Amino acid sequence: MKEEKLPTGLVQVYTGNGKGKTSAAFGLALRAIGRGLKVYIIQFIKGGFDYGELYAIKELPNLKLEAFGHGRFITEKPPREDDIKSAKEALDLAREVIKKGEFDIVILDEINVALTLELVKIQEVVDLVKEKPEHVEMVLTGRNAPKEIVEVADLVTEMREIKHPFKKGIPPRRGIEY
Ligand code: ATP
Ligand code: MG
């Protein structure tokens, strides 16, 4: 496949309480690798959970994924030290990958949740957005995107829940929700 580069990399945010944020990011990744772009997906908080995409990406070229976290839902505020540590590791990797500029699209999945839980400082992410190489596209997902993140983004989509099967007692389905 011919290697391509984006002339201008933008900053996209998929937020809101409705389903589809992570799926949208993976859909974008699929389109991008079809055009020879290189995509790096870094997942905050999700490490240790079993998602279908972890198996699918093994089959795809130019797509890397690394998940951080401990396989449990975080609710505590202030957060636990080990959760802060793995979010920091995820952000350090994001910084390294973005600054190197070797990957055309860097997806920071659930980073908005890490920001809301105060695992990562908003200013650190704002700085990263401002310092990114011109050609690198960043995609930030997760509900409750902080206003500072929305401000520095070029594209913001809010998935708004109108209906979700969970509400009528249908549990998460393998292959659809995970
Ligand atoms: P998906 O990963 O399916 O694209 P998402 O990224 O928009 O969804 P998250 O907020 O990351 O959703 O939610 C994590 C998990 O909860 C996912 O498995 C998702 O399908 C599910 N989920 C999303 N929205 C809701 C909702 N309104 N109620 C219950 N579960 C939800
Ligand atoms: Mg998600």
Side-chain angles (χ1 to χ4, degrees):
M1 204 182 295
K2 189 175 155 280
E3 238 192 74
E4 296 195 31
K5 284 260 171 272
L6 290 170
T8 315
L10 301 178
V11 178
Q12 305 191 32
V13 173
Y14 306 151
T15 191
N17 66 348
K19 174 176 163 71
K21 301 171 290 292
T22 298
S23 313
F26 276 83
L28 182 90
L30 190 63
R31 175 177 291 166
I33 62 171
R35 295 293 189 190
L37 296 175
K38 293 181 77 176
V39 181
Y40 208 126
I41 302 170
I42 297 169
Q43 298 191 305
F44 289 72
I45 296 164
K46 274 187 171 166
F49 286 105
D50 184 42
Y51 281 95
E53 49 265 36
L54 301 177
Y55 304 96
I57 56 128
K58 292 199 183 109
E59 315 293 329
L60 298 169
N62 292 336
L63 183 58
K64 271 194 89 161
L65 183 148
E66 202 115 16
F68 293 82
H70 305 285
R72 53 178 200 88
F73 286 98
I74 306 167
T75 45
E76 306 95 324
K77 243 190 190 182
R80 267 168 39 170
E81 219 35 67
D82 58 340
D83 290 324
I84 296 176
K85 186 165 170 278
S86 52
K88 214 182 245 333
E89 283 168 13
L91 189 64
D92 285 345
L93 175 66
R95 235 185 242 118
E96 190 190 313
V97 171
I98 289 167
K99 292 199 169 161
K100 249 190 177 167
E102 192 195 322
F103 286 82
D104 305 286
I105 302 180
V106 181
I107 296 171
L108 306 180
D109 189 32
E110 311 300 351
I111 192 168
N112 294 329
V113 180
L115 289 167
T116 305
L117 292 167
E118 295 174 9
L119 300 176
V120 170
K121 288 197 187 75
I122 295 174
Q123 193 56 45
E124 289 184 289
V125 180
V126 170
D127 288 346
L128 186 56
V129 165
K130 290 187 174 156
E131 290 160 15
K132 76 166 188 63
E134 178 74 8
H135 72 278
V136 175
E137 183 102 357
M138 284 174 67
V139 181
L140 285 60
T141 87
R143 45 188 74 200
N144 300 317
K147 62 177 190 317
E148 294 90 338
I149 298 296
V150 169
E151 230 155 73
V152 294
D154 300 288
L155 178 155
V156 181
T157 296
E158 181 179 8
M159 273 70 175
R160 182 166 59 90
E161 182 189 316
I162 292 175
K163 278 185 164 188
H164 196 292
F166 190 72
K167 291 275 162 71
K168 54 177 179 185
I170 298 175
R173 292 170 303 155
R174 187 178 161 94
I176 304 290
E177 267 81 37
Y178 68 95

